[in-house]
Amino acid sequence: SLVSPVLVATPVKTLQLATRWDLATMNTIGKIEEFQPEKEKFTSYAERVELFFAANSIPEEKKVPVFLSTAGSDTYGLLRNLLAPVAPKDKTFEEIVKVLKGHFEPKPLTIAERFHFHRRNQAPGETVIRYVAELRRLATNYDFGAYLD
């Protein structure tokens, strides 16, 4: 009679743990990898994180912990240094994004961007569509204002 409750309780406990694990891992939409500055601009990464939050209905109070646990150890270490002596967990998601964006994408010098824009020629074999897309990318920092369209 002492063995029976143990055998019954163990599978139930295991089943409860398995159910929690499934809910935590199986019901998310999409995936957020660690931020890799050599592969992606931080602005793009932050947009994808915000889309992940929206798709998975992440509440405001969970955004910072989710972001800090997915951004990667290099990004977390950098953020700790940029925010010192304040801990990253004590900032809002918006404050964290602003700090990291300022570090990874500092505001470019308009005169230098104008130089790059005017020096850009269509490369041999480059399609017109790709060339125009590259000109539009270069123009984002040119300060064209309303004349960009």
Side-chain angles (χ1 to χ4, degrees):
S1 68
L2 292 175
V3 174
S4 181
V6 172
L7 292 174
V8 172
T10 302
V12 171
K13 190 173 187 179
T14 304
L15 179 61
Q16 288 173 343
L17 290 174
T19 303
R20 286 187 192 137
W21 172 257
D22 291 344
L23 292 175
T25 60
M26 300 293 282
N27 289 338
T28 58
I29 299 171
K31 178 182 170 188
I32 297 296
E33 303 85 18
E34 291 185 1
F35 174 59
Q36 298 177 7
E38 64 280 353
K39 292 185 177 182
E40 180 177 26
K41 285 189 169 193
F42 183 76
T43 301
S44 176
Y45 181 79
E47 288 172 0
R48 290 190 314 107
V49 169
E50 288 174 357
L51 291 170
F52 179 82
F53 289 163
N56 291 287
S57 302
I58 305 293
E60 194 65 35
E61 66 273 7
K62 295 289 186 185
K63 287 182 179 182
V64 170
V66 169
F67 178 79
L68 294 177
S69 63
T70 58
S73 60
D74 290 344
T75 303
Y76 183 78
L78 172 66
L79 185 60
R80 282 187 53 90
N81 293 338
L82 293 171
L83 293 175
V86 178
K89 66 180 179 71
D90 296 330
K91 293 291 190 176
T92 67
F93 176 70
E94 290 76 17
E95 291 169 329
I96 289 171
V97 168
K98 183 177 179 181
V99 167
L100 289 173
K101 184 177 178 184
H103 176 79
F104 286 112
E105 299 174 22
K107 186 171 167 72
L109 296 172
T110 303
I111 194 163
E113 295 304 315
R114 287 179 181 170
F115 172 78
H116 291 299
F117 178 83
H118 287 291
R119 294 279 312 207
R120 179 63 166 91
N121 293 318
Q122 187 174 2
E126 182 178 34
T127 65
V128 173
I129 293 171
R130 187 172 291 267
Y131 176 61
V132 169
E134 182 62 15
L135 286 177
R136 285 190 158 281
R137 185 192 68 76
L138 290 170
T140 57
N141 296 320
Y142 187 99
D143 199 21
F144 271 115
Y147 298 108
L148 184 59
D149 291 328

